[in-house]
Amino acid sequence: MRDPFWNGPKATDFHGYLYTVNNGTMDVEGFIDSPYGQELARRLAIRFSIEDSPEAAAKYYASIGLRRECFDWEDFYTRWSLLTPLHLDGGRRYPLLFWLHGGGNSIEAEENMTGFTDIAAKEGFFLACPQNTNPERVEELLSRICAMYPVDRERVYLAGFSQGGAQCHGAYFRHPEHFAGVVTAGNDIWRPWDNMQVSYTQEEIARVKAYKIPLMQFAGQCEPFPYAPLNNWSPRMWMGRKPWGRPDTAQCPGKDDNLDPTRIHDLSIGKFDSKIYGDASKQRWRMAKSYDPEAGEDVGLWCMNRVNFRMELLDCPPRKVELCLSFDALHQDETRRACGIYGDYEAVEYHYGYRHYTVGVNDRAGREMYRFVAVQNSPHWPPLAIGELGWKFLKRFHRDEESGKLIAEDI
């Protein structure tokens, strides 16, 4: 019998949203009725009970061992939240993780959905969630938080979903020396420009390569975007062909996408805009264009060039192109078929009853620097295991404050 939770108005709205953010192959009803969907419902129920009240949110987080503070709350786009352990140990410095939300979402839409809040309470780290996720805002908040709290500057990390994943890349491409690792979901393995469609310079690329930023990426197998498998690219169903559900159900006064500082504000008429919004002449904001192969370009080679560019940034050996392109026919190896590349670590891991096809790639020094996870029957939404698995990956790394050298530890 289906959980009566899904009969509520906000849950019904989210249910509709799930139909808009998959590529047409997702079993939405099976997803909802699965153990994975039951865990999603549990987290959504918490979110819906606290998202319209900072006071209710503070009370809930205190119950799991966190203090939630709200800053710059007078304006929707300047506000940000910070979660810290209720009791700080004198003399200890704490890791800091930024969570950057998906495009158009509020802080409340994702704050507790990833599981990072539970892990922060258990493991003892700070979690910052800004509404404005632009790289310069992240830099500003990093300075402010370090001035307010005992932050371990060697253990500052980025994590984000969708547009927030792109914003993570933008932040460390501007200041790679400040970060020791990144976890993203629902975005490309490599895109040569940031969220404002400003291309990364050769100097920035060289700095990122020199500093080395460990990267873990998640993708739903049923996302409407070509993020998995990594050896293939094909246009999928664009969002908006069905009635929208709203993932962001909080009552947020001041929310106006035309004022969103994380979007490109113009009146451009282009293929990307018209695909999603119809009459692009009325569109005053948009995200950066997607990264696609040129017309007539060999799609497989383009995909593998993109993968191997990321491998180069991480000092990982390149993936063998022809081998990876053969994986579509490997019916007996579901992990390689789902991920599209091979690794030094390959496994099917189970979380909340769903298969997580996982590949890890070591650098030339033998340290796992890249991990990719494709989640069974899942849409464009933060994976439920991203907090648990993401922190397990990130906490292996810190960056020596004096030398800037990345150091990996065995956990």
Side-chain angles (χ1 to χ4, degrees), residues 67 85-94 123-124 126 149-151:
R67 175 180 290 104
L86 283 176
H87 305 289
L88 302 182
D89 297 334
R92 178 185 173 189
R93 295 198 170 272
Y94 291 79
E123 299 257 336
F126 299 160
Y149 282 99
V151 173

Side-chain angles (χ1 to χ4, degrees), residues 181-230:
V182 181
V183 172
T184 67
N187 64 296
D188 286 325
I189 186 173
W190 162 247
R191 191 176 74 176
W193 49 76
D194 66 14
N195 192 57
M196 292 298 173
Q197 212 164 302
V198 177
S199 295
Y200 300 123
T201 67
Q202 290 303 309
E203 291 77 13
E204 287 171 331
I205 292 172
R207 275 172 52 80
V208 167
K209 184 176 180 179
Y211 276 97
K212 298 183 66 171
I213 310 292
L215 175 62
M216 183 176 191
Q217 289 193 288
F218 291 77
Q221 279 198 289
C222 301
E223 296 204 37
F225 308 108
Y227 300 147
L230 293 170

